[in-house]
């Protein structure tokens, strides 16, 4: 704000100074031109030359007395606000400042020198008062005549050259205090104008500062609140200037920061939940296996049938642990973005039959798949997808289980859709949005008969790694329906 006021004040002062100098020069030039014109006019009327000259008894014209002539010219050139002195100069005599002492102001040598060739003028200040001095010299010789010459009035008088003055000089001092008062009034007006300009500049600066500082203060307050953890802090955007753009950028940054922090908090909560879920999943089989091994290693292991049952339960727990550890390793690869595809040309129908056959599910599942459908897939990951989807339908649904495959292009990419449909009760509505999350199970008690809760989460990860996606929904009168779409070609090959 101070810079704005200083610039405005300096600009106003510079403009005022320029205007003052222009007007002052115009006023002084106007006065000087008027005084010089009046001086020349009076010289033409009153210096001898137009009236008859007195003669002696011999009939010879003679010059008037020096004192009479100079008094007459001084009176003719004088008047209100001005004084005049006329001086006669004989042959070889130069005008000197003492000749004009009766004028009341000093006559500069430069003006006297300039008077020798023309009507000269000069402004001076004497005792704090301004004056304009105008002077001229008129040669005087033999016969009387008047010859107008620019700036010089010339007349001739007949007589003895030693007795008749050679030249006549006239100097007029004009009081310029009226012009000084006019200039003083102009100065006061300019000072008032500068004061008004300064006041207006201050007012505009305050308004401009308020328009700038208030939004800046709001941004500063919002930044402090954001730094203190209020991630929902936003500032109101007003107008379309740079401050509005800054406010918009701040809001976008705050929204991005809120989203990132929210994601980090969600990831942190998910990590804690993941650790808790993993601990629970590991503790359940380990507890059972520990108890069974204690029984088997005791002094009285019991009947052989009980020992065989305990051994089978230990083996089942080991398999569950092995499966859980395998799933956790796979998930860690996805979290670290190190999972890659090992692609191969796969006959979809053959891959489906192999996956069902090795698990003994071919009798409980009806396949509807084209025999010649080929796709570029990772066979191992595709097998895991099929096993998870069909196994989930067998565990939680009811027969018949239908696996249907049909070619389908999406987004200009050729691919195929695999649908797994059961005729069971379907997926509970509260579980449907979470079905692909980690460690999500139908039974909150986590019954031992259920899996680890990671199968469908891995299914989605495998599908997305292929460039596809998988969805889950309830199919109305039937049960749950999982729909998988995969592209038939991959942009890169990792054989």
């Amino acid at each position: 704000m101070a810079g704005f006021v200083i610039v405005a004040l300096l600009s106003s002062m510079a403009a005022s100074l320029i205007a003052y100098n222009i007007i002052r020069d115009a006023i002084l030039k106007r006065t000087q031109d008027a005084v010089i014109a009046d001086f020349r006019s009076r010289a033409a009327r009153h210096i001898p030359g137009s009236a008859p000259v007195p003669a002696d008894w011999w009939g010879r014209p003679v010059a008037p007395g020096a004192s009479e002539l100079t008094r007459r010219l001084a009176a003719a050139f004088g008047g209100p606000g001005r004084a005049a002195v006329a001086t006669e100069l004989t042959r070889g005599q130069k005008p000197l400042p003492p000749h004009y002492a009766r004028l009341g102001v000093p006559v500069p040598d430069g003006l006297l020198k300039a008077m020798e060739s023309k009507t000269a003028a000069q402004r001076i200040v004497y005792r704090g008062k301004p004056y304009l001095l105008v002077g001229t010299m008129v040669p005087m010789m033999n016969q009387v005549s008047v010859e107008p010459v620019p700036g010089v009035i010339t007349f001739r008088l007949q007589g003895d050259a030693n007795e008749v003055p050679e030249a006549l000089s006239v100097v007029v001092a004009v009081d310029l205090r009226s012009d000084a008062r006019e200039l003083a009034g102009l100065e006061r007006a300019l000072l008032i104008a500068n004061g008004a300009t300064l006041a207006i500049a201050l007012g505009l600066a305050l308004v401009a500062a308020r328009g700038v500082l208030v939004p800046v203060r709001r941004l500063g307050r919002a930044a402090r609140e954001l730094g203190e953890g209020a991630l929902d802090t936003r500032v109101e955007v007003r107008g379309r200037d740079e401050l509005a753009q800054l406010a918009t950028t701040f809001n976008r940054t705050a929204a991005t920061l809120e989203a990132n922090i929210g994601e980090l908090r969600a990831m942190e909560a998910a990590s804690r939940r993941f650790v808790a879920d993993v601990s629970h999943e590991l503790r359940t089989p380990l507890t059972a296996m520990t108890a069974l091994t204690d029984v088997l290693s005791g002094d009285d292991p019991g009947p052989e049938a009980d020992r065989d049952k305990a051994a089978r339960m230990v083996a089942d727990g080991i398999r569950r642990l092995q499966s859980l550890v395998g799933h956790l390793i796979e998930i860690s690869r996805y979290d670290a973005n190190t999972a890659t595809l090992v692609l191969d040309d796969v006959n979809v129908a053959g891959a489906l039959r192999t996956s069902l056959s090795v698990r003994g599910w071919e009798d409980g599942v009806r396949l509807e798949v084209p025999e010649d459908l080929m796709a570029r897939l990772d066979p191992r990951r595709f097998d895991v997808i099929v096993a998870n989807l069909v196994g989930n339908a067998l565990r939680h649904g009811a027969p018949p289980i239908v696996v249907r495959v049909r070619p389908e292009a999406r987004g200009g990419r050729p691919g195929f859709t695999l649908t797994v449909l059961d005729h069971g009760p379907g997926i509970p509505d509260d579980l449907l949005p979470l079905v692909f999350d980690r460690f999500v199970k139908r039974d909150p008690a986590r019954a031992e008969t259920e899996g680890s809760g990671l199968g469908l989460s891995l299914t989605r990860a495998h599908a997305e790694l292929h460039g596809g996606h998988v969805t889950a929904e309830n199919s109305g009168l039937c049960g749950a329906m999982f729909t998988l779409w995969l592209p038939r070609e991959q942009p890169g090959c990792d054989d």
Side-chain angles (χ1 to χ4, degrees), residues 327 331 334 384-396 420 422 427-428 431-442 450-464 469-473 480-484:
H327 287 169
I331 287 177
Y334 281 107
V384 173
I385 292 174
V386 173
N388 287 334
L389 293 179
V390 176
N392 187 75
L394 291 172
R395 282 195 302 271
H396 303 293
V420 178
D422 66 64
I427 303 171
L431 192 62
L432 192 58
L434 310 173
V435 71
F436 292 104
D437 290 350
R438 297 174 182 178
F439 296 108
V440 173
K441 296 184 178 182
R442 180 188 295 269
E450 295 201 1
S452 64
L454 296 174
L456 291 180
S457 177
L458 283 173
T459 297
R460 181 175 62 181
H462 291 329
E464 292 176 352
H469 54 82
V470 60
T471 59
E473 60 182 318
M481 181 173 68
F482 288 83
T483 303
L484 169 72

Side-chain angles (χ1 to χ4, degrees), residues 172-415:
V172 177
V174 181
D175 191 347
L176 296 181
R177 280 180 291 181
S178 61
D179 290 346
R181 286 190 294 271
E182 186 176 355
L183 292 175
L186 176 62
E187 290 179 0
R188 287 192 297 272
L190 290 176
L191 287 175
I192 294 173
N194 284 331
T197 301
L198 178 60
I200 294 173
L202 284 173
L204 293 176
L206 289 174
V207 172
R210 179 175 178 82
V212 173
L213 295 179
V214 171
V216 170
R217 291 194 187 102
R218 286 202 304 264
L219 282 170
R221 185 168 53 252
R224 287 192 298 270
E225 294 175 356
L226 188 66
E228 292 171 358
L231 300 178
D232 58 343
T233 301
R234 302 292 185 273
V235 293
E236 182 181 358
V237 179
R238 298 177 181 177
R240 297 182 178 179
D241 56 4
E242 289 77 6
L243 287 174
Q245 296 176 4
L246 180 60
T248 301
T249 302
F250 175 86
N251 289 339
R252 290 176 180 171
T253 303
T256 302
L257 182 61
E258 182 181 17
N260 292 339
I261 296 297
E263 184 178 354
L264 290 175
R265 289 174 177 174
M267 292 175 62
E268 183 181 3
S271 297
R272 289 195 298 267
R273 187 173 61 251
F274 180 78
V275 172
D277 290 337
V278 169
S279 300
H280 182 86
E281 293 295 333
L282 291 174
R283 185 173 59 250
T284 300
L286 286 175
T287 301
M289 291 168 60
T290 301
L292 291 174
T293 54
D294 289 342
V295 171
L296 291 175
S297 61
D299 296 334
D300 185 12
E304 185 177 352
D306 293 340
R307 292 197 304 269
D308 293 342
K309 181 179 179 181
R312 287 193 299 271
M313 293 177 65
V314 170
D316 183 62
I318 292 173
R319 284 192 296 272
R320 290 184 59 194
L321 282 176
Q322 184 180 10
S323 175
L324 177 60
V325 170
H327 287 169
L328 291 175
I329 292 174
E330 196 71 35
I331 287 177
S332 67
R333 290 173 180 165
Y334 281 107
D335 290 342
N337 294 322
T338 59
T340 57
L341 294 174
V342 180
L343 298 172
D344 196 2
D345 294 325
V346 176
N347 181 277
V348 177
L352 285 173
R353 290 192 178 92
T354 302
S355 180
L356 297 178
S357 176
V358 297
R359 294 172 176 83
W361 295 344
E362 65 271 25
D363 294 335
V365 178
R366 188 176 73 207
L367 281 177
E368 298 178 5
V369 55
E371 295 295 333
D372 58 348
L373 181 62
M374 299 293 294
R376 187 77 172 168
L377 304 172
D378 184 327
R380 183 184 68 83
R381 297 184 190 277
F382 183 66
D383 177 70
V384 173
I385 292 174
V386 173
N388 287 334
L389 293 179
V390 176
N392 187 75
L394 291 172
R395 282 195 302 271
H396 303 293
I401 308 299
V402 180
V403 177
R404 184 178 296 116
V405 178
R406 69 178 186 277
E408 180 180 354
R410 293 186 182 181
R413 297 181 65 188

